[in-house]
């Protein structure tokens, strides 16, 4: 396994509210752990939300006795959600904050994925396939047949998300399990990439990059060339 990650403020925002964590070595009872988060909230609240949530998830997994990856990740996100809401209640400057989160761990030939919000995980084998499902207003409309995917790409409300860590006491978390094999490439990213670069171009840059470092750098550069309207975070895992 080879991995590389990068986070970039972009060309418009003054601060970076994204946060990324990667570990190829064991974290508690997980053999590896990868997390991407995209915070939201005024002033420094978004920065705080993404970093705090990731730190809470990692801390929980380091100490928890469970061995089942889904149980571990569910427990970690649930605990982080409660802790983030408590922080918001105790500090008015953090009120209304929240964060997306996408988490992955690879155990033998199985990848376990969890997500809340619209940060994504893709798997590139022969084709580039989005594994996660966006929890956003426009994607809900696409799933209900009220809008097609091309309209969703440029819809003015595309950044409105329907789930976030820190937003609801009873948080719904989506889980996915995918078989992985040698040669597979996994991409985790915030919407600062997916809103700026088409999936076709993402696939081409991953396939032609010489190594994981070049793949990530190309993607971040492409998002900035496309406008860099949001913070950009990219993590690539090559099996």
């Amino acid at each position: 396994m080879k991995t590389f990650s990068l986070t970039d403020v972009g060309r418009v925002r003054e601060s970076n509210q994204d946060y990324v964590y990667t570990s190829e070595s064991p974290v508690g009872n997980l053999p590896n752990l990868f997390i991407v988060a995209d915070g939201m909230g005024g002033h420094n609240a978004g920065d705080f939300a993404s970093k705090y949530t990731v730190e809470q998830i990692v801390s929980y997994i380091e100490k928890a006795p469970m061995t089942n990856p889904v149980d571990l990740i569910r427990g970690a996100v649930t605990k982080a959600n409660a802790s983030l809401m408590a922080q918001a209640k105790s500090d008015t400057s953090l009120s209304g904050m929240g964060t997306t989160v996408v988490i992955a761990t690879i155990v033998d030939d199985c990848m376990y994925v969890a997500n809340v919000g619209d940060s994504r995980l893709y798997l590139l084998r022969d084709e580039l396939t989005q594994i996660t499902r966006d929890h956003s207003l426009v994607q809900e409309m696409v799933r209900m047949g009220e809008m097609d995917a091309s309209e969703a790409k440029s819809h003015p409300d595309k950044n409105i998300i329907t789930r976030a860590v820190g937003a609801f006491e009873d948080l719904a978390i989506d889980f996915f399990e995918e078989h992985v094999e040698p040669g597979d490439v996994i991409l985790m990213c915030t919407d600062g990439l997916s809103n700026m670069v088409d999936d076709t171009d993402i696939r081409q840059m991953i396939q032609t990059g010489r190594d994981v470092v070049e793949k990530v750098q190309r993607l971040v550069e492409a998002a900035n060339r496309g406008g860099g309207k949001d913070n950009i975070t990219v993590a690539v895992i090559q099996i």
Side-chain angles (χ1 to χ4, degrees):
M1 181 189 299
K2 296 179 181 178
T3 67
F4 187 70
S5 63
L6 194 61
T7 185
D8 188 273
V9 71
R11 293 188 168 181
V12 175
R13 302 290 176 89
E14 293 182 358
S15 63
N16 191 346
Q17 298 189 335
D18 289 359
Y19 196 79
V20 59
Y21 172 91
T22 65
S23 177
E24 296 177 37
S25 56
V27 179
N29 287 326
L30 295 181
N32 47 67
L33 183 62
F34 308 93
I35 311 173
V36 167
D38 181 356
M40 64 207 77
H43 303 294
N44 295 323
D47 308 35
F48 179 89
S50 58
K51 184 174 187 290
Y52 181 84
T53 296
V54 172
E55 288 174 344
Q56 289 290 304
I57 290 169
V58 173
S59 176
Y60 181 97
I61 292 172
E62 284 175 337
K63 300 169 186 174
M66 299 94 80
T67 56
N68 181 279
V70 173
D71 291 342
L72 270 169
I73 294 169
R74 180 181 284 111
V77 176
T78 301
K79 174 67 164 55
N81 183 60
S83 298
L84 192 65
M85 294 189 76
Q87 289 287 330
K89 288 176 182 176
S90 67
D91 186 344
T92 55
S93 71
L94 300 176
S95 179
M97 68 177 172
T99 185
T100 70
V101 67
V102 57
I103 305 167
T105 186
I106 300 163
V107 183
D108 298 324
D109 61 353
C110 185
M111 174 172 62
Y112 298 87
V113 182
N115 86 293
V116 176
D118 62 354
S119 294
R120 295 179 176 179
L121 184 144
Y122 293 87
L123 174 64
L124 175 61
R125 190 168 294 151
D126 299 318
E127 299 293 333
L128 183 70
T129 305
Q130 182 181 338
I131 303 302
T132 53
R133 299 198 331 175
D134 294 354
H135 303 137
S136 67
L137 183 63
V138 294
Q139 286 303 317
E140 295 292 345
M141 294 170 71
V142 170
R143 284 194 281 271
M144 294 171 67
E146 298 175 6
M147 182 188 304
D148 64 35
S150 60
E151 290 176 300
K153 190 78 175 175
S154 57
H155 196 280
D157 294 332
K158 66 182 179 181
N159 292 325
I160 298 176
I161 63 173
T162 54
R163 292 190 213 173
V165 177
F168 304 101
E169 288 186 11
D170 186 17
L171 181 66
I173 309 161
D174 282 358
F175 287 90
F176 308 87
E177 292 183 24
E178 289 289 327
H179 169 75
V180 292
E181 55 191 52
D184 285 353
V185 179
I186 297 144
L187 165 68
M188 300 169 70
C189 66
T190 57
D191 63 349
L193 175 71
S194 55
N195 283 342
M196 293 290 104
V197 186
D198 290 332
D199 285 4
T200 302
D201 293 329
I202 289 174
R203 175 187 171 186
Q204 189 270 337
M205 280 179 269
I206 292 174
Q207 288 179 323
T208 58
R210 289 173 297 180
D211 53 31
V212 288
V213 175
E214 185 172 273
K215 295 177 199 296
V216 170
Q217 290 174 337
R218 281 186 176 186
L219 291 168
V220 172
E221 289 166 3
N224 275 318
R225 282 197 307 272
K229 295 179 182 178
D230 201 350
N231 307 144
I232 309 151
T233 297
V234 178
V236 167
I237 306 157
Q238 187 156 341
I239 307 297

